[in-house]
Amino acid sequence: MPILANAFATLCRVPVLRKLLWKRWYQFLAGINPKRPWTFMNYGYESFDKPLAIPLESEDEADRYSIQLYHMVVGQTPLGGRDVLEVGSGRGGGASYIQRYFHPKSTTGLDYSEKAVAYCNRVHHVKGLSFRQGDAEALPFSEEAFDVVLNVESSHCYGNLAAFFSEVRRVLRPGGLFVHADFRSSDQVEPWIALLKDSGMGIVEQREITPNVLAALDADNQRKMQIIQESVPKALVKPFLDFAGMKGSSVYEYFRKREMQYMLFVMRKP
Ligand SMILES: C[S@@+](CC[C@H](N)C(=O)[O-])C[C@H]1O[C@@H](n2cnc3c(N)ncnc32)[C@H](O)[C@@H]1O
């Protein structure tokens, strides 16, 4: 494992540092302006059996694997006419996809990086879609404001996961759904599930999708490598290869050996 990534992973074991370091990183990323549009920051999903074949507008084709992750996470969750909150919306591609393709009444993207939120407000102009700054552990919304809370590849950055789950429960309407996907080192998966079981929401679905995420990393490797080479300062290329889960990086190897597992959960508030 590269020295930088090793030090980062060690520091991230301390919740307060984890939150601080990730915030710094995402603030920095939001300031990068690559030559081509860059609105997703997840590892993606690829299906093994038959291709998902989601019909996409040509402008969305380049993000197919990241979009497929959102598509799988949303699954059967009804979104039409609902109020949706995405916590950890990043550069906004996922929230925009949800609002444009599933037609909820509204989609609100929330991220603690002010720069990411400013970027989203500049780039995404879709009716019903809005972005605001805030912390997953203290959501700036009133009780029972949303029908669905969506959370994709963000919770590994949080300092207090139990506080986040409690906030999700608070802002969901009764019967509302929480769709949650992320990765953890394999020794952290059981404690994570235990917190979900303690959240006051019931588990409707629980699935490991590590092989599908790995397949997406394989399939999207070349495109992402081009973007990194074009846009990332030379000194940062190595940590970036890890962050992006490029083939041969430590993150890729962790997934391959299943030392890191990618999980998908659907939870329902009673
Ligand atoms: C890997 S990115 C994923 C972004 C997006 N969901 C996607 O799939 O493209 C993780 C995002 O979570 C955000 N995040 C991390 N900790 C957060 C917190 N405590 N509150 C809100 N957002 C947070 C980061 O700023 C970052 O934009």
Side-chain angles (χ1 to χ4, degrees):
M1 190 193 219
I3 294 166
L4 254 179
N6 208 350
F8 191 87
T10 307
L11 292 172
C12 278
R13 290 190 179 272
V14 183
V16 179
L17 287 180
R18 174 166 64 232
K19 195 168 177 183
L20 196 81
L21 287 171
W22 279 115
K23 185 168 188 179
R24 280 282 166 96
W25 175 246
Y26 282 112
Q27 283 279 70
F28 164 72
L29 288 188
I32 292 185
N33 284 311
K35 290 185 186 122
R36 24 184 137 184
W38 174 32
T39 63
F40 284 89
M41 292 190 285
N42 66 55
Y43 291 138
Y45 180 101
E46 175 62 316
S47 135
F48 290 120
D49 338 320
K50 51 178 186 162
L52 288 180
I54 308 165
L56 293 177
E57 302 289 332
S58 56
E59 78 225 35
D60 294 321
E61 243 347 295
D63 295 314
R64 175 165 284 280
Y65 298 104
S66 287
I67 287 177
Q68 287 183 171
L69 179 62
Y70 272 84
H71 191 86
M72 289 314 292
V73 170
V74 164
Q76 304 305 312
T77 308
L79 296 179
R82 311 293 212 276
D83 291 308
V84 178
L85 168 66
E86 181 181 15
V87 179
S89 46
R91 297 173 73 98
S96 166
Y97 167 68
I98 295 295
Q99 185 63 26
R100 288 181 294 128
Y101 285 73
F102 292 89
H103 310 296
K105 186 167 143 208
S106 69
T107 303
T108 306
L110 177 119
D111 204 283
Y112 70 176
S113 159
E114 309 92 61
K115 283 191 187 171
V117 171
Y119 170 87
C120 288
N121 282 326
R122 214 168 48 242
V123 165
H124 301 290
H125 300 284
V126 179
K127 192 164 176 275
L129 175 65
S130 61
F131 294 91
R132 66 177 288 181
Q133 197 271 337
D135 187 346
E137 295 166 37
L139 295 174
F141 304 106
S142 55
E143 285 178 21
E144 301 183 3
F146 298 98
D147 303 294
V148 176
V149 175
L150 186 62
N151 183 239
V152 178
E153 217 173 289
S154 173
S155 67
H156 59 276
C157 308
Y158 305 168
N160 184 343
L161 201 56
F164 168 55
F165 293 154
S166 157
E167 280 294 83
V168 171
R169 188 178 192 280
R170 183 181 68 77
V171 302
L172 271 178
R173 296 183 180 130
L177 291 170
F178 171 41
V179 279
H180 174 49
D182 208 351
F183 58 84
R184 292 289 185 282
S185 56
S186 17
D187 61 324
Q188 288 305 307
V189 172
E190 281 311 315
W192 179 17
I193 294 172
L195 280 182
L196 279 166
K197 285 184 175 159
D198 274 355
S199 68
M201 297 177 279
I203 299 185
V204 178
E205 190 184 339
Q206 171 184 323
R207 198 144 54 92
E208 185 184 349
I209 57 169
T210 315
N212 305 87
V213 171
L214 200 60
L217 288 177
D218 282 334
D220 212 11
N221 196 71
Q222 203 180 345
R223 182 190 72 93
K224 290 201 301 199
M225 188 62 91
Q226 270 173 357
I227 299 179
I228 292 174
Q229 282 167 349
E230 280 170 11
S231 321
V232 175
K234 287 256 174 311
L236 285 172
V237 165
K238 269 201 166 170
F240 235 93
L241 296 180
D242 249 321
F243 172 71
M246 305 304 289
K247 274 188 189 178
S249 69
S250 49
V251 166
Y252 180 92
E253 286 303 309
Y254 286 149
F255 279 134
R256 197 177 61 76
K257 295 180 196 154
R258 244 178 117 247
E259 289 170 9
M260 226 154 67
Q261 288 171 243
Y262 208 115
M263 302 291 297
L264 188 164
F265 301 95
V266 180
M267 312 284 299
R268 187 189 301 278
K269 174 170 168 174

